[in-house]
Amino acid sequence: MVQLENVDKVYQTDRIETLALSNVNITIEDGEFVAVMGPSGCGKSTLLNIMGLLDAPSKGQIQFDNNEINGWSDRKLARFRNETVGFIFQSFHLINDLTVFDNVEIPLLYRRMSASERKKRIAEALERVSLISRMKHRPSQLSGGQQQRVAIARAIVGNPKLLLADEPTGNLDSQMGEDIMSILLDLNKNSGASIVMVTHDSRLAENTERVIHLFDGRQVS
């Protein structure tokens, strides 16, 4: 599904050059659940941003579903990303002024889709995370675990082929973290979505099929 070949990522300012990723070669297969681990600042989030087409590598090639991504326009990238990738963040990134329904709807607003079809998909996504009864609530009325489940519903409402989760349990207690992990495992098994999850928790990583370790921007065995 996703293939990174000899990828480097360098961030430059007027005075300093920071190598965030160096010679990374990773392939994520269809339906695979992969964990990415490593110390803070080792390039994990940068890797997810490149896989999710939010950032471009300084060097190297990216292929997504056998499509050569390098050189695509911003418009083409944005459309492909909206239709193919779902993002789950540690801090939820919900809009407090919107209801749960409206938060989950956001990715669908960029597609040519009727209101009735959007409503159907939102209900299905919220049902999968057991929050259909909370669709009129606002994020401030929900617990942290419930907010993360809303974020997962938003990520899956467009039926993406790839889910990228950046420390999805980092702001939750252990029980809520296990609940979120169970949802991700169920999505991987029953929806066929590939999942790449950044985590510091080795117990969560043990539930995935493969673990990629990064250190100072490089893959380590």
Side-chain angles (χ1 to χ4, degrees):
M1 169 174 279
V2 185
Q3 187 172 9
L4 277 61
E5 297 181 0
N6 305 316
V7 164
D8 289 359
K9 181 61 183 180
V10 178
Y11 293 104
Q12 291 182 314
T13 65
D14 292 339
R15 297 186 177 183
I16 192 170
E17 180 177 284
T18 302
L19 182 63
L21 293 175
S22 176
N23 194 35
V24 171
N25 292 274
I26 292 172
T27 298
I28 306 299
E29 303 290 351
D30 287 343
E32 193 174 20
F33 196 155
V34 177
V36 179
M37 301 189 71
S40 297
C42 72
K44 301 186 300 297
S45 293
T46 300
L47 176 64
L48 251 59
N49 287 339
I50 289 177
M51 283 186 176
L53 311 180
L54 291 173
D55 204 352
S58 303
K59 178 183 176 183
Q61 304 292 319
I62 305 174
Q63 290 191 0
F64 205 123
D65 271 357
N66 296 317
N67 293 294
E68 187 71 44
I69 300 300
N70 299 58
W72 280 14
S73 67
D74 290 343
R75 180 186 293 272
K76 187 174 182 179
L77 279 172
R79 181 174 181 178
F80 187 82
R81 184 170 56 238
N82 175 264
E83 294 175 350
T84 312
V85 185
F87 297 90
I88 306 167
F89 305 98
Q90 178 177 349
S91 299
F92 317 141
H93 292 318
L94 302 177
I95 300 175
N96 288 324
D97 291 337
L98 298 181
T99 64
V100 165
F101 180 97
D102 292 336
N103 268 281
V104 176
E105 184 181 30
I106 289 173
L108 301 182
L109 296 175
Y110 298 93
R111 302 189 186 186
R112 294 178 179 176
M113 185 179 295
S114 67
S116 60
E117 177 65 17
R118 291 200 304 271
K119 184 175 181 180
K120 176 185 175 184
R121 290 204 184 194
I122 293 164
E124 290 172 349
L126 288 173
E127 188 69 47
R128 295 199 72 168
V129 298
S130 303
L131 279 180
I132 190 71
S133 63
R134 301 298 186 102
M135 67 165 58
K136 294 183 179 181
H137 287 65
R138 298 186 186 276
S140 60
Q141 298 172 295
L142 305 176
S143 68
Q146 289 172 330
Q147 289 185 56
Q148 189 60 292
R149 283 191 275 157
V150 174
I152 292 174
R154 180 184 59 194
I156 66 174
V157 72
N159 297 323
K161 294 183 178 181
L162 176 67
L163 279 175
L164 300 175
D166 195 353
E167 292 282 0
T169 65
N171 286 339
L172 307 175
D173 63 37
S174 58
Q175 183 57 56
M176 286 186 177
E178 290 177 7
D179 291 344
I180 295 302
M181 188 64 188
S182 294
I183 291 173
L184 293 178
L185 288 167
D186 177 69
L187 287 169
N188 175 247
K189 179 180 178 181
N190 294 313
S191 74
S194 300
I195 301 178
V196 180
M197 177 183 68
V198 165
T199 183
H200 283 100
D201 193 331
S202 59
R203 295 173 303 170
L204 298 182
E206 288 173 357
N207 290 299
T208 66
E209 299 170 51
R210 179 162 58 105
V211 180
I212 296 169
H213 293 276
L214 294 181
F215 186 80
D216 287 345
R218 295 176 171 83
Q219 293 168 257
V220 295
S221 58

